[in-house]
Amino acid sequence: SGNSGTGKEIVSRTLHNLGHRRDFPFVSVNLASIPTSTVDSELFGIDAKDNSKESVIGKIEQANNGTLFLDEVGDIPLNTQRSLLRVLQEGEFLRIGGDKKIKCNVRIISATHQDLRSLINEGKFREDLFYRLNVVPIKLPELRDRLDDIRDLTTHFLRLADQDGLGLKSFSKESVELLKKQTWPGNVREL
């Protein structure tokens, strides 16, 4: 968890790359950007029973044996939460329109900037799903709470810019000190 721009997806991708699933897919889904009416088909896919349409493989199936990163999990609709819980508990799901259970072995990493406990109290998030997802909680602090990271981050971003052909540059010590005085409401993304 953490505010927007703190690096939740980067941490998730790093966990994937350092783990035993690194040779399998890392699939990222921003649930806040998907219309509520299509979340189920995005995650679980569509089973086309007739030959006029092709079946669609969902993100869970795409991430099989790898990692599925669910960004903004607090925005997932309640009916989808029930199906996601089944994936976590049983390791299986149904495509939309399907009747054949599909087995899956996927690690799910979820992220949110919302207070899921408040959403639980409001009846907008399932408590049992929360406990399934909240096995190893990681809270990413805001950039203003880790100002000593600014030197390393600016060096990293300047190296990336150099790789893009912009030439190798550096910040002076005074420049870094000025950067540390900023409030950084957009966190690392703003930097």
Side-chain angles (χ1 to χ4, degrees):
S1 63
N3 284 349
S4 181
T6 54
K8 296 181 294 290
E9 184 169 355
I10 291 171
V11 169
S12 298
R13 194 175 292 274
T14 301
L15 289 171
H16 171 78
N17 290 337
L18 294 175
H20 69 278
R21 297 176 183 261
R22 68 182 157 272
D23 295 329
F24 297 97
F26 176 89
V27 177
S28 179
V29 182
N30 184 333
L31 294 163
S33 69
I34 301 171
T36 303
S37 61
T38 62
V39 170
D40 283 359
S41 59
E42 281 284 324
L43 291 178
F44 304 106
I46 300 171
D47 193 3
K49 292 189 180 217
D50 59 31
N51 292 334
S52 64
K53 297 179 185 175
E54 283 189 40
S55 292
V56 176
I57 295 175
K59 301 297 187 192
I60 293 170
E61 201 169 347
Q62 290 173 26
N64 196 32
N65 295 315
T67 303
L68 177 65
F69 174 61
L70 298 176
D71 196 11
E72 298 306 343
V73 74
D75 291 333
I76 196 169
L78 274 171
N79 62 320
T80 306
Q81 291 178 35
R82 184 173 36 257
S83 301
L84 183 58
L85 186 60
R86 182 178 182 91
V87 170
L88 291 166
Q89 289 176 332
E90 308 296 328
E92 62 186 28
F93 63 95
L94 296 172
R95 288 184 185 154
I96 305 305
D99 53 14
K100 178 184 166 200
K101 292 179 183 176
I102 298 173
K103 290 285 189 187
C104 64
N105 175 1
V106 63
R107 172 180 39 197
I108 295 179
I109 299 176
S110 60
T112 186
H113 73 281
Q114 299 182 64
D115 181 351
L116 293 182
R117 292 195 187 275
S118 293
L119 292 178
I120 290 168
N121 293 336
E122 296 169 20
K124 296 178 180 176
F125 201 86
R126 293 180 60 111
E127 189 170 22
D128 49 359
L129 179 59
F130 171 77
Y131 288 119
R132 288 283 181 175
L133 293 173
N134 198 40
V135 176
V136 181
I138 300 171
K139 171 77 170 127
L140 294 182
E142 297 183 33
L143 183 57
R144 66 177 164 263
D145 295 331
R146 51 187 174 128
L147 295 175
D148 289 338
D149 289 355
I150 288 179
R151 165 64 80 186
D152 292 335
L153 289 167
T154 55
T155 300
H156 170 74
F157 293 138
L158 289 172
R159 282 188 188 134
L160 291 177
D162 179 43
Q163 291 172 5
D164 285 343
L166 299 176
L168 186 58
K169 308 242 187 292
S170 64
F171 279 98
S172 67
K173 186 176 183 178
E174 296 79 19
S175 298
V176 172
E177 291 306 312
L178 281 173
L179 290 173
K180 288 181 178 181
K181 293 179 182 176
Q182 303 302 310
T183 58
W184 301 112
N187 292 294
V188 178
R189 185 177 297 127
E190 181 183 0
L191 175 64

